[in-house]
Amino acid sequence: MKIKSGLMQYLHLDKTYSMLTGKNVKLLMEFFKLLDVHMETSLNDIQFYVFMHATTDMNKSQIYRVFDMLDVDGSGQIDFDEFYLLCCILISLNDKEEKQFIYRHSRTVFEILDEDGSQSISAEEFSAFGFLFNFHGDAVKQIFDDFDISGDQALDYKEFKMFAMACIDRQNDIDKKKKEKMEKDRQILEEKLQRKLELQEQGHGGESRPGWMQWITNLWQSIRANNR
């Protein structure tokens, strides 16, 4: 799932608790009031669809599936608490921190995915709602192969908690590899710039450098300074 909304680009979850700050909650509340055109302190399915269609690339079927999932009391309305939870999920997806969110809110996520309230998540339920956390097809099968210890084709909360812990381990591994790639790219860029500088020095024989060459020099010196 991809996030299209500009609003979600400016909202970020706290790194420690995967929650919005008080300031951002107030901002989200004002946005909720704008969507609540009937001033009922809740959104109906049509208002919800308009919001989700503008915010994500979900199709109509998926949007109404999420609506039914969040409407736990069957009122046909989504109140602010449910809207807040949904937006936190969307923000975590936009920031590519959905695994961190699952880990920090494993009980809440478990209850969301446990559609029938059986205190376990079946493969069908995970397949039906896993797209909300970008789990699809083979990823769902792999999760059950790895964490369905009892072999009953369902995850109870303890098994799901193990999955959530594994999620954060995988996220940390992803973050580590990302940092290593960034460092490698930085080193490659620095080496290329250094070679260009040396070639230019040899070619100009001490003459004044052209403007673009001075720009490269400044950039390279800035890179070195930032990494000391």
Side-chain angles (χ1 to χ4, degrees):
M1 178 174 62
K2 296 181 180 179
I3 308 301
K4 302 186 294 183
S5 170
L7 175 66
M8 299 301 165
Q9 309 297 326
Y10 298 100
L11 297 177
H12 305 283
L13 302 181
D14 175 86
K15 294 292 184 181
T16 303
Y17 301 105
S18 292
M19 299 175 67
L20 288 174
T21 63
K23 180 180 179 180
N24 283 338
V25 171
K26 289 182 180 179
L27 178 63
L28 193 63
M29 173 64 83
E30 292 304 314
F31 181 67
F32 181 79
K33 290 178 180 177
L34 292 175
L35 293 172
D36 179 23
V37 294
H38 301 302
M39 293 182 289
E40 297 178 344
T41 66
S42 62
L43 305 179
N44 60 33
D45 57 343
I46 297 175
Q47 293 165 320
F48 184 83
Y49 173 80
V50 171
F51 166 71
M52 291 296 286
H53 181 68
T55 304
T56 74
D57 63 351
M58 286 187 191
N59 59 43
K60 187 174 182 179
S61 174
Q62 290 175 325
I63 291 174
Y64 281 110
R65 203 182 306 165
V66 173
F67 180 87
D68 291 337
M69 177 183 68
L70 293 173
D71 182 24
V72 292
D73 58 1
S75 65
Q77 302 284 329
I78 299 296
D79 61 25
F80 180 73
D81 288 343
E82 295 160 339
F83 182 76
Y84 168 80
L85 172 61
L86 172 65
C87 287
C88 284
I89 294 173
L90 296 179
I91 293 168
S92 73
L93 285 168
N94 189 57
D95 290 344
K96 301 187 186 307
E97 294 183 354
E98 63 270 25
K99 294 180 178 64
Q100 177 81 11
F101 184 88
I102 291 173
Y103 174 71
R104 292 297 178 190
H105 304 284
S106 58
R107 172 58 74 176
T108 300
V109 174
F110 179 82
E111 291 175 352
I112 287 175
L113 296 177
D114 180 20
E115 183 185 21
D116 59 6
S118 63
Q119 298 303 307
S120 65
I121 302 172
S122 67
E124 289 74 20
E125 288 173 326
F126 216 122
S127 296
F129 298 107
F131 69 88
L132 194 55
F133 297 97
N134 278 338
F135 293 119
H136 303 279
D138 292 342
V140 173
K141 183 179 183 301
Q142 186 63 49
I143 289 168
F144 274 81
D145 288 344
D146 291 345
F147 299 100
D148 181 20
I149 299 173
S150 62
D152 59 358
Q153 287 300 299
L155 300 181
D156 59 26
Y157 180 65
K158 289 183 178 179
E159 292 170 331
F160 184 78
K161 182 68 174 178
M162 291 174 59
F163 159 67
M165 293 175 68
C167 272
I168 196 62
D169 288 340
R170 290 174 185 175
Q171 184 65 57
N172 289 337
D173 185 52
I174 290 171
D175 292 342
K176 181 180 178 182
K177 290 180 179 179
K178 183 178 179 180
K179 288 180 180 179
E180 290 174 348
K181 184 179 184 302
M182 290 176 64
E183 175 62 20
K184 183 178 180 180
D185 290 344
R186 183 197 65 77
Q187 291 176 353
I188 292 173
L189 176 60
E190 185 174 334
E191 290 172 0
K192 287 182 177 179
L193 291 176
Q194 176 63 21
R195 286 197 294 270
K196 286 184 178 180
L197 284 172
E198 292 172 351
L199 290 172
Q200 287 295 323
E201 288 286 356
Q202 295 171 5
H204 285 278
E207 299 177 7
S208 61
R209 295 170 180 153
W212 70 269
M213 196 59 222
Q214 187 60 51
W215 176 83
I216 290 179
T217 302
N218 295 338
L219 176 60
W220 179 69
Q221 290 174 344
S222 176
I223 291 173
R224 294 192 65 184
N226 289 333
N227 286 277
R228 285 174 180 168

